[in-house]
Amino acid sequence: MPACDLAPGGMVGLEVGDRAIALYRLSDGSFHATDNICTHAYALLSDGWLEGDTVECPLHGGCFDVRSGKGICAPITQDLATYPVEIRDGVIHVALGD
Amino acid sequence: MSTHVIVGAGQAGACAAVAMRQIGFEGRIVLVGREPGLPYEKPPLSKNVLAGAAGTLPPVIFREEAYSHHSIETRFGIEVADADPQARTIALANGETIVFDRLLLATGGRARRLDLPGAEHIATLRTLDDAQRIRSGLEDRGHVVCIGAGVIGLEFAAVARAKGCRVTVVELGSAVMERILCSEVQRFLEEFHRHEGVTFRFGARPVAVELLEDGRKRMMLEDGAEIEASLIVAGVGMERDVALARRLGVDVDNGILVDEFGRTSNPDIFAAGDVAAFWHPALRKRLRLEAWRHAQNHGIAVGQNMAGANVPYQDVPWLWTDQYGLTIQISGLPKEADHCLYQEGEKPGSFVGYHLGRDNAVVGATAINAPRQARAAQALIRMNGSLPDKLRAELKSSLQAAARAHEHGTI
């Protein structure tokens, strides 16, 4: 996906094989990727709310730090998987590790 | 070493226990709960625990190792037998007596039962046991009746329809979710349920239930009508469990009275969650909320305050309900509004209603399949803000656009 398609402060959900990945571009311009499905109950984080470097689940309000995947408020008890992101020739590459 | 005892191991009690430890309380924490097993989330009881395969369990609030990790002593499946405010003791039904320095009452409540002959043939839904019993009652796909068109009743109705049951909802009032929704959304939701095959009887008061020979039940209504059903469920609210609070001598008025820090009339006794009638400093009124996120966040705030944090709790009230494919999120206090404006959501058929009060301040929002707008509206409610002009220009005075989208089957 071209990096210019994701504006700062934006996020998008992607299907990669059978995995759902959320891609974020923070207001400092940095790109980050996590699993897109909340660890609490089934919901896509990309339907939620991105504020600073925190994504809030659209269903029950659980929050994650998109840089580290760490759950930072109730009801989250399990962190999110994160994936390295690289921009090469203006295209976003996410390393899913397999 | 100081001891904090928490009575009630639902969402509020369990969250309070962990929160007081996380904020640095180093004393002893004892969490006492009536139900056996690990504390679990209650919202799924009227959703996927009913809808799912037999044996579907709600998620636990914290896994077992979290309690040992935080050195929280648990007493699950144990009732409180007695309490003494002078001696500061809680006596448990297993014979144990615990001396507390601070006590949290997170006793929640019980499903209200109707007072009528044959009431024992009416099921209620509050615990995992209740949900599993009702779930098996849906198996024969017969005619089921729900008394009450509130959140629990409508969620039950939606699941029962999805399972192929014939469903009748009997409601004493004149609309669905009468205490929570504005009238236009009430009509939208009622119509949605009718479209899905639910029959409503409004203004109907059950007066008796009898058990028939084949195991089915017959319910008599005040107007003389009779309804036969394989299962009757009442979703008519809850009764707050204030028995222990009364024994401890703290002030009670339809709930345990607490200030914005969760403190009762006794400064060492606190209350949180469904059972608390709490002062909301931003809304400047006393509230009694029966909702999952409130129980969680009130439990956390009060748990932190017991550990010395002194943080007033003033979250925007919020609840959600899932019915068929609709996720309805209600923020603030929609019933306090004098009019409502609507915006279509990002997805077809989704919408949000902004409930406006004095000076056009946003006092509530009802979002249907529109979580992002719900979240944005909460920020406006928190600031007691009026609608931004740009947003206001997009709003419509009726829900018709969304309703049309539904007729075209796009929800």
Side-chain angles (χ1 to χ4, degrees), chain B residues 190-214:
Chain B
E190 180 189 330
E191 201 42 54
F192 202 99
H193 275 268
R194 286 190 193 277
H195 188 79
E196 295 286 344
V198 172
T199 301
F200 286 97
R201 280 172 174 249
F202 290 104
R205 183 192 297 273
V207 290
V209 172
E210 60 185 31
L211 188 61
L212 304 177
E213 274 177 18
D214 61 3

mmCIF file of all heavy atoms in Angstrom, chain B residues 190-214:
data_model
loop_
_atom_site.group_PDB
_atom_site.id
_atom_site.type_symbol
_atom_site.label_atom_id
_atom_site.label_comp_id
_atom_site.label_asym_id
_atom_site.label_seq_id
_atom_site.Cartn_x
_atom_site.Cartn_y
_atom_site.Cartn_z
ATOM 1 N N GLU B 190 -38.205 -1.079 17.824
ATOM 2 C CA GLU B 190 -39.407 -1.925 17.884
ATOM 3 C C GLU B 190 -39.725 -2.465 16.488
ATOM 4 O O GLU B 190 -40.003 -3.655 16.317
ATOM 5 C CB GLU B 190 -40.587 -1.096 18.415
ATOM 6 C CG GLU B 190 -41.867 -1.906 18.514
ATOM 7 C CD GLU B 190 -43.076 -1.031 18.830
ATOM 8 O OE1 GLU B 190 -42.911 0.012 19.500
ATOM 9 O OE2 GLU B 190 -44.186 -1.396 18.385
ATOM 10 N N GLU B 191 -39.648 -1.580 15.506
ATOM 11 C CA GLU B 191 -39.930 -1.978 14.124
ATOM 12 C C GLU B 191 -38.923 -3.037 13.658
ATOM 13 O O GLU B 191 -39.276 -3.992 12.973
ATOM 14 C CB GLU B 191 -39.872 -0.720 13.237
ATOM 15 C CG GLU B 191 -40.598 -0.848 11.922
ATOM 16 C CD GLU B 191 -41.951 -1.554 12.051
ATOM 17 O OE1 GLU B 191 -42.803 -1.137 12.868
ATOM 18 O OE2 GLU B 191 -42.124 -2.541 11.328
ATOM 19 N N PHE B 192 -37.669 -2.852 14.064
ATOM 20 C CA PHE B 192 -36.639 -3.820 13.695
ATOM 21 C C PHE B 192 -36.990 -5.206 14.246
ATOM 22 O O PHE B 192 -36.912 -6.216 13.548
ATOM 23 C CB PHE B 192 -35.273 -3.360 14.221
ATOM 24 C CG PHE B 192 -34.112 -3.956 13.482
ATOM 25 C CD1 PHE B 192 -33.463 -3.244 12.489
ATOM 26 C CD2 PHE B 192 -33.678 -5.250 13.765
ATOM 27 C CE1 PHE B 192 -32.395 -3.807 11.780
ATOM 28 C CE2 PHE B 192 -32.623 -5.813 13.074
ATOM 29 C CZ PHE B 192 -31.980 -5.086 12.081
ATOM 30 N N HIS B 193 -37.398 -5.241 15.520
ATOM 31 C CA HIS B 193 -37.773 -6.523 16.135
ATOM 32 C C HIS B 193 -39.007 -7.115 15.457
ATOM 33 O O HIS B 193 -39.080 -8.324 15.240
ATOM 34 C CB HIS B 193 -38.035 -6.332 17.630
ATOM 35 C CG HIS B 193 -36.795 -6.391 18.466
ATOM 36 N ND1 HIS B 193 -36.336 -7.538 19.042
ATOM 37 C CD2 HIS B 193 -35.911 -5.421 18.807
ATOM 38 C CE1 HIS B 193 -35.213 -7.295 19.713
ATOM 39 N NE2 HIS B 193 -34.939 -6.008 19.593
ATOM 40 N N ARG B 194 -39.985 -6.279 15.137
ATOM 41 C CA ARG B 194 -41.194 -6.798 14.459
ATOM 42 C C ARG B 194 -40.815 -7.406 13.110
ATOM 43 O O ARG B 194 -41.298 -8.477 12.732
ATOM 44 C CB ARG B 194 -42.207 -5.669 14.247
ATOM 45 C CG ARG B 194 -42.917 -5.232 15.519
ATOM 46 C CD ARG B 194 -44.064 -4.285 15.163
ATOM 47 N NE ARG B 194 -44.585 -3.588 16.314
ATOM 48 C CZ ARG B 194 -45.482 -4.096 17.159
ATOM 49 N NH1 ARG B 194 -45.956 -5.322 16.980
ATOM 50 N NH2 ARG B 194 -45.905 -3.384 18.192
ATOM 51 N N HIS B 195 -39.931 -6.695 12.389
ATOM 52 C CA HIS B 195 -39.447 -7.170 11.094
ATOM 53 C C HIS B 195 -38.776 -8.543 11.241
ATOM 54 O O HIS B 195 -38.835 -9.381 10.351
ATOM 55 C CB HIS B 195 -38.443 -6.130 10.566
ATOM 56 C CG HIS B 195 -37.990 -6.364 9.174
ATOM 57 N ND1 HIS B 195 -38.734 -6.034 8.071
ATOM 58 C CD2 HIS B 195 -36.846 -6.904 8.696
ATOM 59 C CE1 HIS B 195 -38.080 -6.362 6.985
ATOM 60 N NE2 HIS B 195 -36.930 -6.888 7.323
ATOM 61 N N GLU B 196 -38.133 -8.755 12.394
ATOM 62 C CA GLU B 196 -37.468 -10.041 12.654
ATOM 63 C C GLU B 196 -38.449 -11.087 13.180
ATOM 64 O O GLU B 196 -38.051 -12.206 13.489
ATOM 65 C CB GLU B 196 -36.327 -9.847 13.661
ATOM 66 C CG GLU B 196 -35.180 -8.970 13.156
ATOM 67 C CD GLU B 196 -34.299 -9.687 12.129
ATOM 68 O OE1 GLU B 196 -34.366 -10.925 12.026
ATOM 69 O OE2 GLU B 196 -33.549 -8.979 11.411
ATOM 70 N N GLY B 197 -39.716 -10.697 13.370
ATOM 71 C CA GLY B 197 -40.731 -11.681 13.727
ATOM 72 C C GLY B 197 -41.179 -11.679 15.177
ATOM 73 O O GLY B 197 -41.911 -12.574 15.601
ATOM 74 N N VAL B 198 -40.772 -10.692 15.957
ATOM 75 C CA VAL B 198 -41.169 -10.632 17.360
ATOM 76 C C VAL B 198 -42.564 -9.997 17.471
ATOM 77 O O VAL B 198 -42.878 -9.037 16.769
ATOM 78 C CB VAL B 198 -40.157 -9.796 18.180
ATOM 79 C CG1 VAL B 198 -40.645 -9.562 19.606
ATOM 80 C CG2 VAL B 198 -38.796 -10.492 18.192
ATOM 81 N N THR B 199 -43.411 -10.570 18.347
ATOM 82 C CA THR B 199 -44.714 -9.986 18.632
ATOM 83 C C THR B 199 -44.629 -9.194 19.938
ATOM 84 O O THR B 199 -44.062 -9.693 20.916
ATOM 85 C CB THR B 199 -45.767 -11.114 18.802
ATOM 86 O OG1 THR B 199 -45.790 -11.868 17.603
ATOM 87 C CG2 THR B 199 -47.144 -10.538 19.095
ATOM 88 N N PHE B 200 -45.145 -7.979 19.932
ATOM 89 C CA PHE B 200 -45.147 -7.164 21.156
ATOM 90 C C PHE B 200 -46.558 -7.028 21.690
ATOM 91 O O PHE B 200 -47.524 -6.888 20.927
ATOM 92 C CB PHE B 200 -44.605 -5.749 20.860
ATOM 93 C CG PHE B 200 -43.112 -5.709 20.661
ATOM 94 C CD1 PHE B 200 -42.567 -5.738 19.381
ATOM 95 C CD2 PHE B 200 -42.251 -5.642 21.755
ATOM 96 C CE1 PHE B 200 -41.191 -5.699 19.191
ATOM 97 C CE2 PHE B 200 -40.871 -5.609 21.571
ATOM 98 C CZ PHE B 200 -40.344 -5.637 20.286
ATOM 99 N N ARG B 201 -46.658 -7.045 23.024
ATOM 100 C CA ARG B 201 -47.914 -6.660 23.687
ATOM 101 C C ARG B 201 -47.560 -5.597 24.708
ATOM 102 O O ARG B 201 -47.001 -5.905 25.763
ATOM 103 C CB ARG B 201 -48.532 -7.847 24.414
ATOM 104 C CG ARG B 201 -49.282 -8.797 23.518
ATOM 105 C CD ARG B 201 -49.664 -10.011 24.338
ATOM 106 N NE ARG B 201 -50.505 -10.894 23.547
ATOM 107 C CZ ARG B 201 -51.791 -11.092 23.785
ATOM 108 N NH1 ARG B 201 -52.394 -10.494 24.800
ATOM 109 N NH2 ARG B 201 -52.483 -11.921 23.029
ATOM 110 N N PHE B 202 -47.865 -4.353 24.357
ATOM 111 C CA PHE B 202 -47.579 -3.248 25.267
ATOM 112 C C PHE B 202 -48.770 -3.014 26.197
ATOM 113 O O PHE B 202 -49.895 -3.413 25.898
ATOM 114 C CB PHE B 202 -47.259 -1.976 24.474
ATOM 115 C CG PHE B 202 -45.938 -2.058 23.755
ATOM 116 C CD1 PHE B 202 -45.874 -2.266 22.381
ATOM 117 C CD2 PHE B 202 -44.746 -1.960 24.469
ATOM 118 C CE1 PHE B 202 -44.662 -2.361 21.723
ATOM 119 C CE2 PHE B 202 -43.520 -2.056 23.811
ATOM 120 C CZ PHE B 202 -43.485 -2.260 22.442
ATOM 121 N N GLY B 203 -48.501 -2.350 27.300
ATOM 122 C CA GLY B 203 -49.563 -2.056 28.274
ATOM 123 C C GLY B 203 -50.148 -3.320 28.874
ATOM 124 O O GLY B 203 -51.295 -3.338 29.286
ATOM 125 N N ALA B 204 -49.357 -4.375 28.915
ATOM 126 C CA ALA B 204 -49.869 -5.671 29.368
ATOM 127 C C ALA B 204 -49.240 -6.049 30.707
ATOM 128 O O ALA B 204 -48.023 -6.006 30.864
ATOM 129 C CB ALA B 204 -49.550 -6.741 28.330
ATOM 130 N N ARG B 205 -50.094 -6.409 31.659
ATOM 131 C CA ARG B 205 -49.603 -6.758 32.995
ATOM 132 C C ARG B 205 -49.909 -8.231 33.284
ATOM 133 O O ARG B 205 -51.076 -8.623 33.344
ATOM 134 C CB ARG B 205 -50.308 -5.884 34.045
ATOM 135 C CG ARG B 205 -49.800 -6.114 35.479
ATOM 136 C CD ARG B 205 -50.727 -5.452 36.504
ATOM 137 N NE ARG B 205 -50.778 -4.017 36.355
ATOM 138 C CZ ARG B 205 -49.916 -3.165 36.939
ATOM 139 N NH1 ARG B 205 -48.948 -3.632 37.705
ATOM 140 N NH2 ARG B 205 -50.045 -1.873 36.759
ATOM 141 N N PRO B 206 -48.861 -9.043 33.489
ATOM 142 C CA PRO B 206 -49.093 -10.443 33.871
ATOM 143 C C PRO B 206 -49.664 -10.502 35.285
ATOM 144 O O PRO B 206 -49.221 -9.744 36.155
ATOM 145 C CB PRO B 206 -47.700 -11.071 33.839
ATOM 146 C CG PRO B 206 -46.816 -10.067 33.163
ATOM 147 C CD PRO B 206 -47.432 -8.727 33.379
ATOM 148 N N VAL B 207 -50.646 -11.383 35.513
ATOM 149 C CA VAL B 207 -51.216 -11.503 36.859
ATOM 150 C C VAL B 207 -51.032 -12.889 37.463
ATOM 151 O O VAL B 207 -51.097 -13.047 38.672
ATOM 152 C CB VAL B 207 -52.718 -11.109 36.890
ATOM 153 C CG1 VAL B 207 -52.869 -9.612 36.673
ATOM 154 C CG2 VAL B 207 -53.517 -11.890 35.857
ATOM 155 N N ALA B 208 -50.799 -13.896 36.636
ATOM 156 C CA ALA B 208 -50.575 -15.241 37.180
ATOM 157 C C ALA B 208 -49.945 -16.131 36.115
ATOM 158 O O ALA B 208 -50.098 -15.884 34.921
ATOM 159 C CB ALA B 208 -51.894 -15.865 37.648
ATOM 160 N N VAL B 209 -49.240 -17.155 36.601
ATOM 161 C CA VAL B 209 -48.658 -18.152 35.699
ATOM 162 C C VAL B 209 -48.995 -19.521 36.267
ATOM 163 O O VAL B 209 -48.929 -19.724 37.481
ATOM 164 C CB VAL B 209 -47.125 -17.991 35.592
ATOM 165 C CG1 VAL B 209 -46.522 -19.157 34.810
ATOM 166 C CG2 VAL B 209 -46.766 -16.674 34.937
ATOM 167 N N GLU B 210 -49.403 -20.439 35.404
ATOM 168 C CA GLU B 210 -49.594 -21.807 35.902
ATOM 169 C C GLU B 210 -48.847 -22.789 35.012
ATOM 170 O O GLU B 210 -48.632 -22.546 33.831
ATOM 171 C CB GLU B 210 -51.079 -22.155 36.004
ATOM 172 C CG GLU B 210 -51.805 -22.080 34.687
ATOM 173 C CD GLU B 210 -53.312 -22.317 34.848
ATOM 174 O OE1 GLU B 210 -53.859 -21.971 35.909
ATOM 175 O OE2 GLU B 210 -53.923 -22.839 33.902
ATOM 176 N N LEU B 211 -48.457 -23.894 35.663
ATOM 177 C CA LEU B 211 -47.705 -24.923 34.961
ATOM 178 C C LEU B 211 -48.697 -25.903 34.346
ATOM 179 O O LEU B 211 -49.598 -26.398 35.034
ATOM 180 C CB LEU B 211 -46.796 -25.637 35.980
ATOM 181 C CG LEU B 211 -45.782 -26.624 35.423
ATOM 182 C CD1 LEU B 211 -44.792 -25.941 34.486
ATOM 183 C CD2 LEU B 211 -45.028 -27.283 36.594
ATOM 184 N N LEU B 212 -48.561 -26.177 33.056
ATOM 185 C CA LEU B 212 -49.447 -27.129 32.394
ATOM 186 C C LEU B 212 -48.869 -28.540 32.518
ATOM 187 O O LEU B 212 -47.700 -28.718 32.854
ATOM 188 C CB LEU B 212 -49.611 -26.738 30.915
ATOM 189 C CG LEU B 212 -50.128 -25.310 30.682
ATOM 190 C CD1 LEU B 212 -50.181 -25.000 29.188
ATOM 191 C CD2 LEU B 212 -51.504 -25.132 31.306
ATOM 192 N N GLU B 213 -49.727 -29.536 32.220
ATOM 193 C CA GLU B 213 -49.294 -30.924 32.410
ATOM 194 C C GLU B 213 -48.100 -31.288 31.537
ATOM 195 O O GLU B 213 -47.269 -32.099 31.921
ATOM 196 C CB GLU B 213 -50.461 -31.873 32.102
ATOM 197 C CG GLU B 213 -51.356 -32.077 33.319
ATOM 198 C CD GLU B 213 -52.554 -32.951 32.995
ATOM 199 O OE1 GLU B 213 -52.515 -33.667 31.964
ATOM 200 O OE2 GLU B 213 -53.515 -32.904 33.781
ATOM 201 N N ASP B 214 -48.033 -30.680 30.365
ATOM 202 C CA ASP B 214 -46.934 -31.034 29.454
ATOM 203 C C ASP B 214 -45.660 -30.244 29.742
ATOM 204 O O ASP B 214 -44.702 -30.284 28.971
ATOM 205 C CB ASP B 214 -47.374 -30.836 27.996
ATOM 206 C CG ASP B 214 -47.751 -29.395 27.695
ATOM 207 O OD1 ASP B 214 -47.615 -28.544 28.605
ATOM 208 O OD2 ASP B 214 -48.170 -29.114 26.554
#
